[in-house]
Amino acid sequence: MLSAHDTRQSWSEAEPVPFWLDSADRPAARPALEASTSADLAIVGGGFSGLWTALLAKERDPGRDVVLIEADRLATAATGRNGGFCAASLTHGDANGQARFPRELGTLNRLGTQNLAEIEAAISRYRIACGFERSGSLTVATQPYQLSYLASAGGERLDQEQLRAQVNSPTYLGGVWHREDIALLDPARLAWGLASAAESLGVRIAENTGVTRIDRSGQRLRLRIRTGATVTASNVALGTNAFAPLVRRMRWHTVPVYDYVLVTEPLTPEQLESVGWSNRQGIDDLGNQFHYYRLTADNRILWGGYDAIYYFGRKIRPSYDQRPDTFQRLAEHFFATFPQLEGIRFSHRWGGAIDTCTRFCAFFGTAYAGRAAYAAGYTG
């Protein structure tokens, strides 16, 4: 067992940036919006909500004038710092869906499966090189009481021996293999590819363009930009995630909660053989505070979750992105899960806010007499 000092050494020199964004292939920032403009549809937020909205809006109506504005750079927030799990579930898992939408769950599951297939088709159609792989997922029990949960988890039940033949950890007691419900991908490259695809259809994108407020302008809406410029549009789509919403009533609909991640250096062939993982599934465990983890394209292990930190006053600050106590805890849990990897170092460490809501799954709505639409509450 590693000492606390040795565990700290494993992550203390890691780059304090998301692994996905630490790439020479990261596109240069698009120019900020300096002059006032107008559009049919204005989109606020350059994450997945905003980018998919822009792409779909142009696909459905090629003549629609669409402008997307991002306060920072594309994929800097939750989009570029998540684990890269692309799940079919629209309800954050069947248990949550059954508890909240029992009559609609069958329809929601069908739509979620269809949604994942359409995401895959769009990635292929626009030739987005984001490492998309239909690897499926393993949900693992690491405590005896969790074994009873597996019966209602769906999927293919694996006993301890079968599970450890898939991924070798002494902590595993049993699990479930969902073969089709999750794909793994590089989320930043997906975002960059979606932006390029949207631009190829005529979408205008401005980065480093923060919106300070939204108000009415006759029959249209006006977005006020920090630079003093404005964007006037017939309709507005808001994809601001955990950040302060422009629609006042949304302020209490979500809570920003911080999630943290470590990524190892690439595993050697010998290290990878000691773990197995030949089917490259995404993994999560059944604890109330749970871990999620996966292999990257170059055989690093991304290891995140467990701590979910709320900072008093709903504050979101760059200084919160690094939390040594959580990185230490994550490293300790990692080496307990994979003791055969003792000596490996972590290359990247980061954290950031996600928009948690009481339903633990996305919600959507409209404001300004239907001229503005929003989606939020993804809870990771």
Side-chain angles (χ1 to χ4, degrees):
M1 181 176 178
L2 291 177
S3 68
H5 172 76
D6 289 339
T7 303
R8 185 170 297 272
Q9 289 293 105
S10 71
W11 62 263
S12 60
E13 296 182 5
E15 293 292 332
V17 295
F19 167 70
W20 312 114
L21 298 178
D22 188 19
S23 170
D25 295 332
R26 187 179 188 182
R30 293 157 177 84
L33 184 67
E34 300 291 347
S36 296
T37 189
S38 63
D40 297 320
L41 172 63
I43 300 168
V44 182
F48 288 135
S49 294
L51 291 167
W52 279 113
T53 299
L55 187 64
L56 291 170
K58 289 295 285 186
E59 286 183 340
R60 293 173 183 177
D61 183 357
R64 181 184 285 138
D65 184 15
V66 179
V67 61
L68 181 150
I69 50 182
E70 161 59 38
D72 197 326
R73 293 181 63 183
L74 298 181
T76 51
T79 293
R81 62 174 179 245
N82 66 71
F85 288 68
C86 187
S89 175
L90 301 178
T91 59
H92 216 68
D94 276 352
N96 188 54
Q98 185 63 47
R100 302 183 188 283
F101 314 104
R103 289 180 296 181
E104 299 91 350
L105 186 58
T107 299
L108 289 169
N109 284 342
R110 175 179 58 80
L111 291 173
T113 299
Q114 178 183 336
N115 185 56
L116 182 58
E118 291 181 2
I119 289 172
E120 183 176 14
I123 288 170
S124 176
R125 184 165 65 253
Y126 290 106
R127 299 181 181 180
I128 299 174
C130 62
F132 186 98
E133 54 180 332
R134 282 266 197 161
S135 55
S137 66
L138 294 172
T139 296
V140 302
T142 59
Q143 299 292 333
Y145 76 89
Q146 296 170 359
L147 290 170
S148 61
Y149 300 162
L150 296 175
S152 60
E156 178 184 339
R157 182 77 177 264
L158 303 178
D159 62 24
Q160 184 179 46
E161 182 178 355
Q162 292 169 324
L163 180 58
R164 292 189 62 177
Q166 290 295 319
V167 182
N168 183 22
S169 170
T171 65
Y172 293 171
L173 303 178
V176 170
W177 187 353
H178 299 274
R179 291 180 179 265
E180 296 293 332
D181 69 338
I182 282 181
L184 299 180
L185 51 77
D186 181 323
R189 290 180 184 275
L190 174 57
W192 301 335
L194 289 173
S196 295
E199 287 178 319
S200 75
L201 300 183
V203 174
R204 294 176 285 152
I205 298 177
E207 298 182 62
N208 296 306
T209 302
V211 178
T212 59
R213 60 179 289 183
I214 180 174
D215 52 33
R216 292 181 175 86
S217 177
Q219 296 300 308
R220 290 157 69 82
L221 297 176
R222 180 185 292 117
L223 300 172
R224 298 190 181 274
I225 311 301
R226 289 187 191 132
T227 60
T230 62
V231 178
T232 305
S234 301
N235 295 100
V236 172
L238 303 171
T240 52
N241 199 262
F243 295 98
L246 294 170
V247 175
R248 186 177 301 176
R249 70 168 180 261
M250 285 182 62
R251 174 172 172 76
W252 306 112
H253 288 188
T254 62
V255 173
V257 174
Y258 272 70
D259 181 53
Y260 294 90
V261 181
L262 294 171
V263 170
T264 70
E265 60 194 7
L267 273 63
T268 66
E270 294 76 21
Q271 288 171 326
L272 187 58
E273 184 180 5
S274 73
V275 176
W277 220 337
S278 60
N279 288 304
R280 303 181 63 82
Q281 304 97 325
I283 303 177
D284 62 274
D285 61 55
L286 282 163
N288 185 43
Q289 289 178 274
F290 65 94
H291 305 91
Y292 57 87
Y293 44 114
R294 56 161 294 187
L295 291 170
T296 65
D298 59 349
N299 291 329
R300 302 167 190 262
I301 297 177
L302 179 148
W303 177 264
Y306 196 80
D307 279 352
I309 306 299
Y310 170 76
Y311 291 95
F312 180 76
R314 308 165 63 89
K315 295 182 176 66
I316 298 177
R317 294 176 175 172
S319 60
Y320 295 159
D321 291 356
Q322 298 293 315
R323 191 170 191 270
D325 287 350
T326 293
F327 295 137
Q328 179 71 3
R329 184 173 294 112
L330 282 173
E332 290 170 355
H333 293 177
F334 177 88
F335 289 114
T337 302
F338 297 120
Q340 65 270 47
L341 297 182
E342 180 178 335
I344 201 169
R345 297 295 185 100
F346 295 97
S347 62
H348 294 78
R349 54 183 166 94
W350 71 88
I354 60 176
D355 60 338
T356 302
C357 68
T358 55
R359 286 184 174 182
F360 301 107
C361 62
F363 62 86
F364 52 88
T366 61
Y368 293 97
R371 293 193 177 278
Y374 56 81
Y378 295 100
T379 316

